Amino acid sequence: MMLRLLKAERMKLRRSPVWLAFIIMPVIPALLGTINYIANIDILESEWYSLWTQHTLFTCYFFLPVMLGVYCSYIMRIEYNNNNWNKVLTMPVNKGMIFIAKLITVSFMLLISEVWIGVLFVLSGKIAGISSAVPIKEMIVWCGFGTLGGIVMAAIQLLISIFIKSFALPVGISFGGGLSGLVFLAKGLGHIWPYSLMAYGMNSNSPQKMLENGYVSFVIICVIYIAVITIVSVTLMSERDI
């Protein structure tokens, strides 16, 4: 049944304009980050690592949160159109599986976005004239844990969209959440604030160092957040009218 739900979600998004956000939006922070890196190349001496900080400065706190907000808002907005929720919730399937299918779909889109961000990062480094070897292993770790942290944000945004039928307002909340993530990271609380976890997982501030609290604790925190938010969302979908 889960495979059928995932297939249905994929069909809904097949001709969706949301893919424009996936293609275009990561290009903007890559361009801004590369320009900033080239303009300050005299003081940014760590090459690939310095370029990563410049890219993630724009990506993690501004553009990727907006992309997630768009993904989640759109995938929920589809159901509000033409009262699709009435049809979906009367299907002979556990309501929790519907939420999980949407979360898996958004998570997959996020993973693709992270891969695209990695490709743009490598291309930007070559354009900027960086001749040293690309830190592939580190980049996989950054994008992998960034994806996990981003899933936490996606789960929250899907939960918000259960309450808010508007398309734009949840996107605005996600953007504000990204900005709050910057504040909490600056205060040393990035490892516990849900809107900081994506940037924290991507090592946006110190790519040459391992996460201060370790990757195991990071994974545990993310899994707990995802589990709790999923349980709350499933309970709400089961007990209230959407």
Side-chain angles (χ1 to χ4, degrees):
M1 183 57 70
M2 178 57 71
L3 292 177
R4 291 183 180 180
L5 288 172
L6 292 173
K7 183 179 180 181
E9 295 296 336
R10 181 174 60 83
M11 291 177 65
K12 294 173 187 177
L13 295 171
R14 181 176 297 173
R15 297 183 179 180
S16 166
V18 76
W19 288 104
L20 291 175
F22 156 71
I23 295 171
I24 296 173
M25 292 188 70
V27 176
I28 301 174
L31 180 62
L32 294 174
T34 303
I35 292 174
N36 203 40
Y37 171 78
I38 294 174
N40 297 279
I41 199 168
D42 291 337
I43 58 175
L44 298 174
E45 301 176 347
S46 298
E47 297 189 323
W48 289 107
Y49 299 103
S50 295
L51 180 63
W52 183 254
T53 62
Q54 300 307 302
H55 275 218
T56 54
L57 172 65
F58 297 101
T59 300
C60 293
Y61 307 116
F62 304 101
F63 290 92
L64 207 48
V66 171
M67 284 177 60
L68 273 176
V70 170
Y71 288 166
C72 296
S73 189
Y74 184 85
I75 203 172
M76 297 295 279
R77 182 64 182 171
I78 290 174
E79 311 302 350
Y80 288 116
N81 293 335
N82 301 317
N83 295 317
N84 279 354
W85 271 124
N86 295 334
K87 301 174 184 178
V88 172
L89 295 179
T90 55
M91 293 171 57
V93 62
N94 186 289
K95 294 179 180 179
M97 293 181 67
I98 297 173
F99 179 86
I100 293 172
K102 290 184 179 296
L103 181 59
I104 291 174
T105 300
V106 176
S107 299
F108 179 71
M109 296 170 72
L110 174 61
L111 177 60
I112 295 176
S113 296
E114 290 281 359
V115 172
W116 178 225
I117 288 169
V119 171
L120 290 172
F121 171 65
V122 174
L123 291 176
S124 299
K126 297 300 182 182
I127 292 173
I130 299 177
S131 57
S132 59
V134 180
I136 295 294
K137 292 182 179 180
E138 290 92 336
M139 192 171 67
I140 292 174
V141 171
W142 299 333
C143 293
F145 283 94
T147 300
L148 181 58
I151 294 173
V152 174
M153 191 185 300
I156 294 174
Q157 290 300 130
L158 288 173
L159 174 59
I160 290 172
S161 291
I162 292 176
F163 291 97
I164 303 175
K165 297 181 180 181
S166 166
F167 176 85
L169 184 55
V171 176
I173 293 173
S174 188
F175 176 70
L179 294 179
S180 73
L182 178 61
V183 174
F184 276 82
L185 273 172
K187 293 183 176 296
L189 299 173
H191 62 292
I192 58 174
W193 179 243
Y195 281 97
S196 298
L197 291 173
M198 182 168 58
Y200 190 77
M202 293 177 76
N203 277 23
S204 60
N205 292 336
S206 54
Q208 291 165 295
K209 300 179 181 179
M210 185 177 177
L211 296 184
E212 293 179 1
N213 295 284
Y215 287 112
V216 174
S217 61
F218 175 80
V219 171
I220 292 173
I221 290 172
C222 288
V223 170
I224 291 174
Y225 265 122
I226 294 168
V228 170
I229 296 167
T230 299
I231 292 171
V232 171
S233 300
V234 169
T235 302
L236 288 173
M237 290 180 65
S238 300
E239 296 182 353
R240 69 188 295 271
D241 293 330
I242 298 179

